[in-house]
Amino acid sequence: MSAALTLYVPRDSAALAVGADAVVDALRAQAAATGTELTVVRNGSRGLLWLEVLLEVATPQGRVAYGPVSAEDVPTLWPVLLADAAGQGGSHPLRQGVTEQIPYLARQERLTFARVGVTDPLSLGDYAAHEGWAGLKAAVAQDSAAILQAVTHSGLRGRGGAAFPAGIKWRTVAQAPGSIKYVVCNADEGDSGTFADRMVMEGDPYLLIEGMAIAALAVGAEQGFIYVRSEYPQAVAVLAEAIERATQAGWIGANVAGSGKRFDLQVRMGAGSYVCGEETAMLESLEGRRGIVRAKPPLPALQGLFGQPTVINNVLTFAAVPTILARGADFYRHYGVGRSHGTLPFQLAGNIRHGGLVEKAFGLTLRELLDGFGGGTRSGRPIKAVQVGGPLGAYLSESQWDVPLDYEAYAAIGAVVGHGGIVVHDDTADLAALARYAMEFCALESCGKCTPCRIGSTRGVEVIDRLVANRANPQVHEQQVTLLRDLCDTMLGGSLCAMGGMTPYPVLSALNHYPADFGLAPAPVASETAAAN
């Protein structure tokens, strides 16, 4: 052997989709041909998705990144990688410099994603060496009340649509009568433009396992389930292997981290229904039935899975908990603004130059994300509209891009932060067509249980079609606008869950902020909430 080389190539779905395995094959072939001792670590993605496949080489100065790398780049890259590994530097068009110093990464505040892209996702040793299990160890040393106090004091809120305080939910389950309780992770990440859950499950699965184990200790549950959407087979495979290894190592199972308490964890795969992202529909699916929304009350915290008290949170919520237990509630609540504590992994997608994951404390603005991290549109054209919070989130016009990203500030303008998904559209977008798509999406994905959602969405498509077709007929046009607003009001107030209740958000925001796309004269922007009321 003439030299030694340690390289890092992501193994998550985004990297695999653009040829990560082919890059690894080419690297191994090059090593064999040159007699180089090669170690390839298959890490998670750093979240700089426009640079995938992001290849990193271990150097005396730290890891140095190259991207986007294809298998065809390997022959010219090889001598530069060897020079980097020897501390001699190198020059190549794909060289991005020391990874941690890349501005997109250096300006983030990564708590949840501190290990993602750094470690081997399935290595227990790697996880422990990077502060893994510290939160669970701290939890084992405390009683349930102390764990609940820490989570409550941290200000952690559910990282989904409702943003309900996690500590209050957990306390409700802990105090509910019954000897059988469950912890369920909603990993049915179906919102357009979102991928943070997947990145955690594929890139740092022990973090989710640790967070759920802490929840189980807090509420007295012995069984947990991770409900993963079927479109994430890689995440399912990684989680299954991680659960097996964590159980064998004693971190979960019959004696959680030596606590004497039991917690078993299983993965369940969904069947591709968007509405199963709603917690009660997910419970129906977990119990083996068609995913249909349940009426509330009773709340799942009191009568959830199989009728037992159940903690339900999504991946990002559970993944935030180990940091809170390991570093203290005060450390975590120091991040953020107002009542929005901690950080949120924002996901930049759509027509954006630098799409990827940006974890920052609440309080930054959309403009900072779009320009400071995203670098504008991929098409080079001006940004026209930005949808925040998934397919049921509002479209925000430029006048709203300086509003701080926190739960209350966004609620005040009729928008939602949701799961942190951000989808960008340039000035060629037709907001009338996008509003129609929102109604059509709801009609396709509605579980059909309540009339405002099931029928309202279908009528919504028809009304928007008539509205657009009658641009030249002011009388009919105005009637359809009134009808559309009335219909949205009915869906907002009468739907059983957020599926029908939030579909008016993108529709009304499009109508209010982009009237010209509907054939209307520009008018003063009205709050979607006010319009709905």
Side-chain angles (χ1 to χ4, degrees):
M1 294 291 177
S2 61
L5 200 56
T6 299
L7 302 176
Y8 298 81
V9 182
R11 54 176 291 169
D12 90 332
S13 294
L16 294 176
V18 291
D21 283 347
V23 170
V24 171
D25 291 342
L27 291 167
R28 294 192 191 284
Q30 196 74 31
T34 57
T36 305
E37 182 182 346
L38 175 64
T39 300
V40 178
V41 179
R42 301 304 300 268
N43 54 323
S45 171
R46 294 272 193 171
L48 289 68
L49 299 185
W50 78 98
L51 290 178
E52 293 291 0
V53 176
L54 185 74
L55 167 65
E56 295 175 85
V57 55
T59 80
Q61 293 76 38
R63 295 187 200 174
V64 171
Y66 291 81
V69 174
S70 67
E72 291 71 28
D73 296 317
V74 169
T76 61
L77 203 54
W78 191 255
V80 186
L81 295 173
L82 290 171
D84 257 332
Q88 300 168 356
S91 177
H92 193 280
L94 301 181
R95 195 176 192 272
Q96 304 294 327
V98 175
T99 309
E100 300 292 346
Q101 297 174 6
I102 296 174
Y104 197 91
L105 274 178
R107 288 184 287 127
Q108 297 192 33
E109 296 160 290
R110 289 198 163 192
L111 300 181
T112 300
F113 279 76
R115 273 180 299 269
V116 178
V118 176
T119 59
D120 176 345
L122 288 172
S123 169
L124 283 165
D126 224 0
Y127 186 69
H130 290 79
E131 299 184 42
W133 309 117
L136 182 57
K137 290 177 182 176
V140 166
Q142 303 176 35
D143 61 16
S144 168
I147 300 172
L148 294 171
Q149 176 59 29
V151 176
T152 303
H153 182 61
S154 73
L156 176 66
R157 297 163 70 172
R159 298 300 191 237
F164 190 80
I168 295 176
K169 180 183 287 188
W170 289 22
R171 191 182 303 278
T172 303
V173 176
Q175 295 177 347
S179 59
I180 299 176
K181 299 175 182 178
Y182 294 104
V183 175
V184 174
C185 177
N186 184 348
D188 194 58
E189 185 179 45
D191 282 353
S192 51
T194 60
F195 42 82
D197 285 359
R198 178 187 59 73
M199 286 183 63
V200 169
M201 291 187 285
E202 295 179 356
D204 198 9
Y206 297 126
L207 178 66
L208 174 58
I209 294 170
E210 183 179 357
M212 293 184 70
I214 293 170
L217 293 174
V219 305
E222 294 188 348
Q223 179 70 56
F225 296 93
I226 305 174
Y227 184 87
V228 187
R229 64 191 311 231
S230 59
E231 293 87 345
Y232 284 176
Q234 179 74 2
V236 170
V238 173
L239 281 172
E241 179 64 25
I243 290 170
E244 175 64 25
R245 294 189 186 192
T247 302
Q248 292 298 323
W251 293 110
I252 57 174
N255 183 16
V256 175
S259 66
K261 298 177 180 177
R262 184 177 199 95
F263 181 59
D264 297 311
L265 191 54
Q266 298 179 37
V267 177
R268 290 286 186 271
M269 187 182 290
S273 169
Y274 179 79
V275 80
C276 285
E278 197 281 336
E279 60 181 6
T280 63
M282 179 194 64
L283 292 177
E284 288 287 303
S285 180
L286 266 176
E287 293 178 10
R289 292 187 289 273
R290 180 184 165 208
I292 297 178
V293 173
R294 297 176 182 174
K296 291 186 281 189
L299 297 172
L302 299 173
Q303 294 182 38
L305 188 64
F306 302 115
Q308 304 300 324
T310 304
V311 168
I312 303 173
N313 283 124
N314 67 5
V315 173
L316 295 183
T317 311
F318 284 122
V321 172
T323 298
I324 294 168
L325 269 294
R327 301 193 181 187
D330 285 332
F331 169 83
Y332 190 79
R333 70 179 288 117
H334 169 73
Y335 291 89
V337 294
R339 294 173 52 208
S340 301
H341 297 286
T343 62
L344 183 66
F346 297 97
Q347 299 126 84
L348 296 178
N351 192 339
I352 190 79
R353 185 180 176 204
H354 293 156
L357 185 132
V358 178
E359 183 175 354
K360 289 287 288 183
F362 288 98
L364 83 165
T365 67
L366 192 55
R367 194 182 301 277
E368 290 177 73
L369 282 172
L370 298 174
D371 296 336
F373 287 92
T377 64
R378 188 174 62 249
S379 64
R381 302 181 66 89
I383 297 174
K384 178 177 180 178
V386 183
Q387 190 173 32
V388 180
L392 308 182
Y395 287 102
L396 302 188
S397 65
E398 185 171 3
S399 64
Q400 299 171 306
W401 296 352
D402 294 313
V403 175
L405 272 156
D406 73 74
Y407 295 121
E408 279 66 39
Y410 263 52
I413 60 170
V416 293
V417 175
H419 191 50
I422 293 169
V423 179
V424 179
H425 299 269
D426 71 11
D427 62 350
T428 63
D430 179 349
L431 270 294
L434 291 173
R436 184 188 188 280
Y437 175 75
M439 286 291 190
E440 185 179 27
F441 178 78
C442 182
L444 286 170
E445 296 291 345
S446 173
C447 75
K449 186 160 184 174
C450 71
T451 303
C453 177
R454 183 183 71 250
I455 303 299
S457 55
T458 299
R459 296 289 90 84
V461 172
E462 297 167 356
V463 171
I464 293 174
D465 283 346
R466 286 198 295 272
L467 196 160
V468 172
N470 287 280
R471 293 171 187 261
N473 188 332
Q475 185 175 1
V476 174
H477 197 261
E478 186 60 29
Q479 289 173 346
Q480 297 306 310
V481 170
T482 302
L483 185 57
L484 181 59
R485 291 190 183 280
D486 285 348
L487 179 62
C488 286
D489 183 54
T490 300
M491 294 177 70
L492 276 164
S495 297
L496 201 53
C497 78
M499 180 81 231
M502 288 181 62
T503 293
Y505 279 52
V507 175
L508 289 172
S509 59
L511 188 63
N512 289 335
H513 295 297
Y514 306 93
D517 288 9
F518 294 83
L520 298 167
V525 173
S527 155
E528 287 72 47
T529 302
N533 291 335

